Amino acid sequence: MTSQSAEAGGAPVRRAPTERIGQGTIPRFHVAEGIPRDRPGAVIDLPESVAVHALRVLRLAVGDIVTLFDGTGGEHRATVVSAARRAALVELQEFDPVEREAPVATTLVMSVIATDPMDLAIRKAVELGVSEVQPVVAARSQSAVTGDRVARRVMHWRGVAVSACEQCGRNRVPPVAAPVLLATWLAQFKSGPGTAAVLVPSAGRSLASLAADVPPRYVLVGPEGGFTDHEQALAAGLGIVPVHMGHRILRAETAALAALATINAIAGDARQDA
């Protein structure tokens, strides 16, 4: 992303600013490179992938307003000033340091599950304010990521997180780590007792009860079929609290989202008045 003049980037494709882009529906785009915060009026080029999506999918054109964020906090309002086939220039307006992070930092330790449900879990976890996603491979994990597929899956998951931030208004992209064996993650776990919870349908305590006392910083979600007795014992030995989500058996992706929503409702910004 470089600063350029408004005339660069090919012959502009012009039309009147659209009325459909009103307050609350202005498109948001993540730009990986840092955006200057102190240069209103500067003209920058959008990365090609962002430009293509903006121009060919959303059909934006010269005069339309967009919001840009680089993942380090805050957001920029900008105006499209040039639009070519695969390139676009925008003029930066004001920078808004607004943050929309959850007040409770929660890491989702998510067992690797099938592709579509895993994507869903990551996408919705980001919308619910998760601070980090750590995929783990448990004994009953399906579609375990191995070999050359690891880097591709992690890149895909991180793209899902970016897309979720664009949709939900977050200006900081939560990291999605490379998957590790559950045993490896547990061996490296160093937080004190009560700061983590593992979802176990037969547990005696509810997550809601635990979160009302001390919201857990880590939530462990098993694969389809749940964690084995051995894995549950390892977690319990580290002070990770077994909790349930009610009387019904939830699918892994449902359990993850229900857990994060519960924490947010009890201790997060969902309980705060506007």
Side-chain angles (χ1 to χ4, degrees):
M1 181 183 68
T2 57
S3 296
Q4 301 183 22
S5 66
E7 290 76 17
V13 177
R14 297 183 179 276
R15 62 175 171 82
T18 174
E19 293 295 331
R20 64 183 169 80
I21 302 178
Q23 185 66 32
T25 60
I26 295 174
R28 287 171 43 86
F29 301 104
H30 175 257
V31 177
E33 298 181 34
I35 305 172
R37 299 185 177 185
D38 56 352
R39 294 173 58 194
V43 176
I44 64 173
D45 62 309
L46 295 179
E48 182 176 344
S49 61
V50 174
V52 169
H53 183 71
L55 302 179
R56 302 183 68 180
V57 178
L58 299 182
R59 310 296 293 177
L60 302 186
V62 170
D64 284 340
I65 306 298
V66 298
T67 297
L68 306 177
F69 67 104
D70 59 16
T72 62
E75 62 190 25
H76 302 254
R77 189 63 56 85
T79 303
V80 179
V81 294
S82 177
R85 182 174 177 81
R86 303 181 66 86
L89 298 176
V90 297
E91 180 180 341
L92 296 180
Q93 299 175 11
E94 70 274 10
F95 170 75
D96 186 348
V98 61
E99 295 289 358
R100 302 184 182 95
E101 296 302 291
V104 177
T106 307
T107 296
L108 174 63
V109 183
M110 182 74 196
S111 297
V112 175
I113 52 179
T115 301
D116 289 346
M118 189 72 178
D119 287 359
L120 175 67
I122 292 173
R123 181 178 298 110
K124 299 307 180 183
V126 172
E127 292 179 24
L128 288 165
V130 73
S131 63
E132 182 176 358
V133 179
Q134 173 61 71
V136 294
V137 179
R140 294 174 176 151
S141 287
Q142 299 178 5
S143 303
V145 184
T146 58
D148 295 339
R149 297 178 58 217
V150 173
R152 292 197 299 271
R153 285 292 295 276
V154 172
M155 183 177 299
H156 172 75
W157 290 334
R158 290 171 179 169
V160 169
V162 167
S163 177
C165 286
E166 290 178 332
Q167 185 277 323
C168 74
R170 292 182 68 173
N171 291 321
R172 296 183 184 272
V173 181
V176 180
V180 298
L181 294 174
L182 175 64
T184 300
W185 187 87
L186 290 172
Q188 298 171 347
F189 179 73
K190 300 185 184 304
S191 292
T195 59
V198 54
L199 302 189
V200 178
S202 61
R205 189 174 190 183
S206 70
L207 175 60
S209 171
L210 176 65
D213 291 339
V214 180
R217 293 170 50 198
Y218 302 88
V219 175
L220 283 70
V221 180
E224 299 300 333
F227 291 120
T228 66
D229 291 343
H230 176 65
E231 289 169 334
Q232 293 179 38
L234 288 176
L238 295 171
I240 300 175
V241 181
V243 294
H244 68 79
M245 292 297 304
H247 299 302
R248 291 156 298 285
I249 303 297
L250 305 180
R251 293 182 65 89
E253 67 273 22
T254 306
L257 307 183
L260 293 173
T262 296
I263 294 171
N264 195 36
I266 292 175
D269 51 10
R271 65 185 295 270
Q272 299 171 354
D273 293 332

